[in-house]
Amino acid sequence: MSSSKDSSKLRRTGSRPLSDVSLEEDEVLIDAFEATLDGVKVRVMAVLERTCVYVDLTGDRRLASKKDLWVEAGKHPIRRRGAG
């Protein structure tokens, strides 16, 4: 069951660049999800305006453009911003 802070909006699914995943103005991606960068699975730790912080295969944190990170849209957690 979804809490009142979770987004319940139906979204298009499928693989696409993270930059193409649309969010409502009051929604944010919950950090720590998987994405693909240059054919390699990485763990996204923080989502910024146009870039993301991800952990590479050696465990180092690095920056990547949202357009270069591919995700399965509709499969990562999104929550609404708000008090509480």
Side-chain angles (χ1 to χ4, degrees), residues 10-65:
L10 291 177
R11 299 177 191 283
R12 289 185 352 200
T13 59
S15 182
R16 66 181 46 106
L18 185 57
S19 59
D20 290 352
V21 174
S22 63
L23 298 173
E24 297 295 326
E25 188 173 311
D26 65 340
E27 293 178 325
V28 293
L29 286 171
I30 297 174
D31 299 336
F33 58 88
E34 285 190 354
T36 303
L37 177 65
D38 296 328
V40 177
K41 291 275 186 193
V42 296
R43 187 87 173 150
V44 174
M45 303 306 292
V47 179
L48 309 171
E49 187 174 336
R50 284 176 272 187
T51 60
C52 292
V53 177
Y54 72 94
V55 178
D56 69 12
L57 295 175
T58 65
D60 291 331
R61 291 178 186 246
R62 302 200 180 271
L63 285 177
S65 172

